[in-house]
Amino acid sequence: MKASSRAPRPVAIDQILFTQGFGTRRHCAGLIRHGLVSVEGRVIEDADEAFLTEGLVFEVEGRAWPFHEKALILLYKPAGYECSRKPSHHPSVFSLLPAPLRERDMQPVGRLDEDTTGLLLLTDDGPLQHKLTSPKYHVPKVYEATCKAPVDEAQLRQLMEGVLLEERDPRLAAEPVRAAQARMLPDGRLELTLTEGRYHQAKRMVAAVGNRVLALHRRAIGQLSLPTDLSSGGWLWLDDEGRRQALTAAEDEPAAG
Ligand code: URA
């Protein structure tokens, strides 16, 4: 084993800023030249000064930034925001994030409709994105739906047994979609746990059983729930524990063939 090739190597501070979304190398060097970057309270004057990135917290214009090789962000999505980077009618969820995070190549982990609220993950970690969104892994997403009419037992049963949805792809249209769980919450809302991510899936499933979703909120992905102390529009970094929680209920990818 080549131990030396695995040893973490210090990285120049302008390169660190660049990878963390603070603009071009030139812009990052400018931030340093203007005395706007510090590490552990010491202003960094040399753009080539190198640091180990593991656990590094640097400050830019007085704001602390923990280094993350790959970003995983939890956002409490408010209604009235689109998950696209190029929204058509409403502001983008990216406008809720600070500039360095907007600059990173993050994508929402499965889109929520403009009027859906709740837990949205964003990441630039491709394999994680795939694992959380691919129907193969069955990661459960828990939604709370306010429905137009009271949901009855027959509707709950139908949602769990499976409904057919109109799809352009005839193979998809022929495959019933089942809720992993459908039950009533004490406040009268419907809790729906879905393991696929078809377009408008929750709303279309509820419509397929003869009811209508008036408001939809995503409370959890896997074992990861929206923190109760995070307000609408707020965001936070997720660490390895958050990643583990989101993936906890994921099933291993079935073997090919
Ligand atoms: N299902 C929907 O219908 N809308 C969402 O935003 C998410 C799941």
Side-chain angles (χ1 to χ4, degrees):
M1 193 173 91
K2 286 190 208 157
S4 58
S5 66
R6 286 167 179 247
R9 299 248 298 269
V11 180
I13 188 74
D14 63 343
Q15 173 69 8
I16 289 176
L17 295 181
F18 171 68
T19 62
Q20 300 298 289
F22 286 85
T24 60
R25 285 288 286 265
R26 196 186 159 101
H27 181 75
C28 295
L31 290 171
I32 296 161
R33 208 172 40 250
H34 287 101
L36 298 173
V37 179
S38 52
V39 174
E40 291 176 0
R42 178 173 63 86
V43 174
I44 307 301
E45 287 167 1
D46 178 1
D48 289 330
E49 185 171 344
F51 295 86
L52 287 173
T53 53
E54 169 94 41
L56 177 71
V57 179
F58 55 91
E59 279 125 54
V60 179
E61 296 185 72
R63 179 169 183 172
W65 290 91
F67 178 90
H68 286 92
E69 187 168 350
K70 292 289 176 195
L72 178 59
I73 297 293
L74 181 157
L75 173 72
Y76 186 159
K77 181 191 174 295
Y81 286 81
E82 293 181 27
C83 284
S84 168
R85 274 198 181 263
K86 290 188 182 150
S88 32
H89 299 296
H90 301 272
S92 163
V93 289
F94 286 94
S95 67
L96 296 164
L97 301 176
L101 287 182
R102 291 201 300 271
E103 288 305 311
R104 290 183 73 137
D105 192 21
M106 292 197 296
Q107 297 297 329
V109 178
R111 294 187 173 193
L112 292 178
D113 297 335
E114 169 271 317
D115 56 351
T116 301
T117 59
L119 198 168
L120 180 68
L121 298 179
L122 301 117
T123 189
D124 54 7
D125 182 335
L128 178 68
Q129 167 84 249
H130 174 69
K131 212 160 186 185
L132 287 168
T133 49
S134 165
K136 283 190 283 190
Y137 292 97
H138 302 288
V139 173
K141 284 108 187 168
V142 185
Y143 294 93
E144 295 167 346
T146 307
C147 297
K148 184 157 189 224
V151 179
D152 59 32
E153 284 301 322
Q155 290 175 341
L156 291 178
R157 203 173 334 109
Q158 268 182 288
L159 288 166
M160 295 204 33
E161 284 174 2
V163 294
L164 292 174
L165 299 179
E166 269 183 42
E167 305 285 356
R168 264 194 229 140
D169 180 341
R171 279 167 311 175
L172 267 190
E175 236 177 66
V177 223
R178 297 179 180 81
Q181 174 75 264
R183 62 180 184 127
M184 294 313 292
L185 295 170
D187 64 8
R189 284 183 302 165
L190 164 69
E191 185 191 83
L192 208 50
T193 304
L194 305 179
T195 57
E196 291 178 61
R198 291 199 203 179
Y199 182 63
H200 291 331
Q201 185 172 332
K203 292 175 186 166
R204 291 197 297 148
M205 285 180 75
V206 170
V209 301
N211 207 326
R212 191 168 143 203
V213 170
L214 299 179
L216 189 63
H217 177 78
R218 182 156 69 192
R219 201 193 64 228
I221 296 179
Q223 298 288 312
L224 178 71
S225 295
L226 200 56
T228 48
D229 56 354
L230 187 67
S231 43
S232 177
W235 65 273
L236 46 86
W237 289 101
L238 286 181
D239 52 17
D240 289 347
E241 174 60 11
R243 177 182 301 247
R244 196 192 56 70
Q245 286 175 344
L247 286 170
T248 292
E251 291 170 14
D252 286 338
E253 186 167 13

